[in-house]
Amino acid sequence: THVYFTTYDGAEGGVHRVPREGGGLETLVDGLDHPSQLELIAGTLYVSETGANRIVRLPTGGGALEVVATGQG
């Protein structure tokens, strides 16, 4: 139902989504240190935060960010 993607402006990044059928941008989390790869598994987004050498996860509808692995650089 949504398209998920990361952004990075050179200072900080975020994870966002937009409805597939069109509509407004929704920011799920911001303030990440160079988010890059994104994987969606069973309603959970996993994000490689390369600037912090860690992998984080969060629910697709937004919510608390959880660190699941560190030292992954």
Side-chain angles (χ1 to χ4, degrees):
T1 62
H2 289 86
V3 175
Y4 297 88
F5 59 96
T6 63
T7 58
Y8 182 67
D9 66 6
E12 67 176 31
V15 177
H16 315 277
R17 72 179 188 175
V18 292
R20 274 191 207 164
E21 303 301 321
L25 172 77
E26 181 181 357
T27 298
L28 301 177
V29 64
D30 58 8
L32 297 177
D33 189 356
H34 203 250
S36 56
Q37 298 178 26
L38 181 68
E39 183 76 29
L40 173 61
I41 302 172
T44 301
L45 291 167
Y46 292 84
V47 182
S48 172
E49 191 179 1
T50 57
N53 290 326
R54 66 184 191 171
I55 298 172
V56 297
R57 70 179 172 197
L58 68 150
T60 56
L65 186 75
E66 180 183 359
V67 176
V68 294
T70 59
Q72 303 300 303

